[in-house]
Amino acid sequence: MLLKRLGLVLLGLSCVLPLARAADFPARPMTVLVGGGPGSLPDLFARPLADRLSRSLGQPVVVDNKPGAGGMIAIQALKAAPADGHTLAVITNAHAVWNPHIFAKLTYDPKTDLVPVSPVATIPMALVVNPALPVNTVQELFDLAREKPGALNYASSGNGSPPHVLFEMMRRQAEADIVHVPFKTGTDALTSVAAGDTQIYFAGTSLVAPMVRDGRLRLLAVSPSVPGEPFAGVPTLQDAGFPGLEGVVWLGVVTNQGTPAQTVERLNHAVAEAARDPSMRQAFDSHGALLLEGSAAEFAQRIESDRATWDPVLEKMGLNPG
């Protein structure tokens, strides 16, 4: 009887201890990993998000930029961290859905190594060119590309990045020969196009807006329609003859496998609260972003739905693994 009672006590403790650990969370400073450099699309949202998480959770939250290798460097760091919710990563569609079709030797399994915490935002994309390129519309751009096969090039923030995958879909739909030039970060790609070293970039509105405003880039199209300067009234990709092209990038927060469910739930509420903060919403508006809310389970379901949509598309594209 004594042993039976002892067993029941131990069983009770095994159930209570995870709850206690979750209640004590966070117990130390936290890190938000970003698979891009300072000024990259995920970084633009990770920094204000980290600031507001720090306020609501009562611990310092530091952004750690680890660009390169399609986000694999950042995700490797996430995998190596203790599974206790103190290390997060801001990811995009590319990290959770596209990378298995891009990299022959992917160093993580998106289905098991990434634990969805919360969606954050959707980012419309903008097609921009160097102003020296003699085109003012999407039609003129692809007409020029077909007239001069291989003469034009487009920049991206790396193999498998949203600018790479989405423009590659557009290029193939237009049947145009345009050379892909990958860079390590979105900032590097943007600088290259503004300098004229490359001519074309299909990137998040948040990245290109400053250079569109000051004339260093020419805006040809957005997807979807974006209210507010400098994108208001600009043709959408559908208007430009690309119906059905999904030109939106989403951002979300994940943690690593083994993190207690109670901690994931706490983080989900904290991220949602931070994203709804008026100053954070102002940052969203200035970047042309749309708030994306949902539970951890809903975020996981969105990722699964995206895989069902994108897997056959990417398999058909047959992108060369890099």
Side-chain angles (χ1 to χ4, degrees):
M1 180 63 71
L2 181 61
L3 289 175
K4 182 177 181 181
R5 288 179 179 175
L6 181 60
L8 289 173
V9 170
L10 292 175
L11 177 61
L13 286 174
S14 69
C15 295
V16 170
L17 285 175
L19 293 174
R21 285 195 295 268
D24 293 339
F25 174 84
R28 62 178 188 277
M30 299 173 60
T31 299
V32 177
L33 296 161
V34 176
S40 64
L41 181 60
D43 182 77
L44 289 174
F45 290 87
R47 291 187 180 277
L49 180 63
D51 178 64
R52 282 146 190 85
L53 284 176
S54 178
R55 297 180 198 173
S56 63
L57 293 174
Q59 288 284 356
V61 182
V62 178
V63 173
D64 187 2
N65 295 92
K66 293 188 178 296
M72 283 190 276
I73 298 172
I75 294 175
Q76 282 298 110
L78 178 67
K79 287 176 59 178
D84 56 12
H86 287 84
T87 304
L88 309 173
V90 173
I91 66 165
T92 69
N93 323 40
H95 308 114
V97 181
W98 299 345
N99 276 358
H101 301 276
I102 308 297
F103 295 95
K105 296 181 180 179
L106 197 62
T107 59
Y108 68 96
D109 185 341
K111 295 182 180 180
T112 58
D113 292 329
L114 304 180
V115 176
V117 170
S118 176
V120 174
T122 55
I123 315 295
M125 301 288 280
L127 179 61
V128 295
V129 297
N130 181 278
L133 201 65
V135 299
N136 292 289
T137 67
V138 177
Q139 183 65 47
E140 290 177 357
L141 173 65
F142 286 110
D143 284 346
L144 179 63
R146 285 186 287 265
E147 289 172 11
K148 300 179 178 181
L152 301 183
N153 49 52
Y154 72 95
S156 85
S157 49
N159 287 321
S161 64
H164 174 210
V165 173
L166 293 172
F167 188 80
E168 189 65 17
M169 288 183 66
M170 190 185 304
R171 181 194 72 76
R172 292 180 183 222
Q173 191 170 329
E175 298 181 341
D177 181 5
I178 305 175
V179 179
H180 175 219
V181 181
F183 288 85
K184 189 174 184 179
T185 70
T187 304
D188 292 340
L190 196 63
T191 301
S192 167
V193 178
D197 298 326
T198 53
Q199 292 99 32
I200 307 162
Y201 196 23
F202 189 44
T205 50
S206 56
L207 285 181
V208 303
M211 289 190 179
V212 170
R213 290 189 182 101
D214 65 20
R216 284 180 288 170
L217 295 174
R218 179 179 297 144
L219 180 62
L220 302 187
V222 293
S223 177
S225 180
V226 180
E229 185 272 336
F231 305 105
V234 175
T236 65
L237 290 180
Q238 184 167 339
D239 296 333
F242 292 87
L245 179 62
E246 178 66 26
V248 174
V249 172
W250 55 251
L251 291 125
V253 175
V254 298
T255 189
N256 50 353
Q257 186 180 33
T259 300
Q262 296 90 345
T263 300
V264 172
E265 187 69 16
R266 175 85 188 278
L267 286 166
N268 175 268
H269 289 301
V271 171
E273 180 185 354
R276 287 193 297 265
D277 183 274
S279 57
M280 187 73 176
R281 295 298 297 272
Q282 185 177 6
F284 276 38
D285 292 342
S286 68
H287 294 316
L290 305 174
L291 177 65
L292 187 60
E293 295 185 274
S295 66
E298 288 168 338
F299 185 30
Q301 181 56 48
R302 180 186 180 94
I303 293 172
E304 284 303 314
S305 178
D306 274 13
R307 288 189 181 121
T309 299
W310 279 95
D311 283 355
V313 173
L314 292 168
E315 287 169 6
K316 185 176 180 180
M317 286 174 65
L319 295 174
N320 293 324

